[in-house]
Amino acid sequence: MAKLLSRMEIAPVVLTSPLPRARQTAEIAGKYLKTKVRLEPLLRPGFDAAKLRKLLEKFSGKSLMIVGHEPDFSRTIFQLTGANSKISKAGIALIELKTGSMKGVLRWLVPPKFAKRKST
């Protein structure tokens, strides 16, 4: 997935849950995206749209990548977009939030098997 994002020339700020698996995943993404990864305690299990709002209050930048846990992210996607979808382990989603709002549009949801096919 990180290779796919790198090829798309996406340059987000990367925040990760401090739990080991999420942190390891974020470090791999950071390596391919050539960016530092920052630990964010709000991304521990139990993450939701209210916690995302807190993250965004202190965020400055164009693009934010968060690495965390399920079922938190599927629930958060629903809270933000109304899309009843499930993000697979190691999957990625792009949500475009409306300026000044916690409502947005799910632009894409990519499972890891898609990225594997595209990277060969």
Side-chain angles (χ1 to χ4, degrees):
M1 293 307 278
K3 285 180 186 178
L4 174 65
L5 291 174
S6 177
R7 285 194 312 269
M8 295 171 68
E9 297 182 2
I10 294 176
V13 171
V14 180
L15 302 178
T16 183
S17 161
L19 275 62
R21 278 185 168 197
R23 202 173 64 233
Q24 291 164 353
T25 299
E27 291 296 336
I28 292 167
K31 175 184 164 191
Y32 280 96
L33 298 172
K34 297 181 176 113
T35 188
K36 285 190 172 190
V37 173
R38 296 187 292 197
L39 295 181
E40 177 50 65
L42 288 173
L43 288 167
R44 290 179 179 276
F47 182 78
D48 60 12
K51 290 180 181 167
L52 177 61
R53 179 186 300 271
K54 288 180 183 178
L55 281 179
L56 293 175
E57 287 172 0
K58 57 184 178 179
F59 173 71
S60 63
K62 183 178 178 184
S63 182
L64 176 65
M65 177 180 183
I66 55 176
V67 181
H69 311 280
E70 273 297 293
D72 299 342
F73 280 9
S74 292
R75 181 180 56 249
T76 303
I77 290 169
F78 178 76
Q79 292 169 338
L80 298 171
T81 69
N84 192 10
S85 57
K86 174 149 177 36
I87 189 166
S88 55
K89 187 178 284 191
I92 55 173
L94 174 66
I95 299 172
E96 187 176 314
L97 291 177
K98 295 175 184 161
T99 304
S101 170
M102 289 306 291
K103 294 295 177 190
V105 176
L106 178 61
R107 293 291 180 202
W108 40 263
L109 181 64
V110 181
K113 64 183 176 182
F114 176 82
K116 278 186 180 179
R117 263 197 334 251
K118 295 297 179 186
S119 66
T120 56

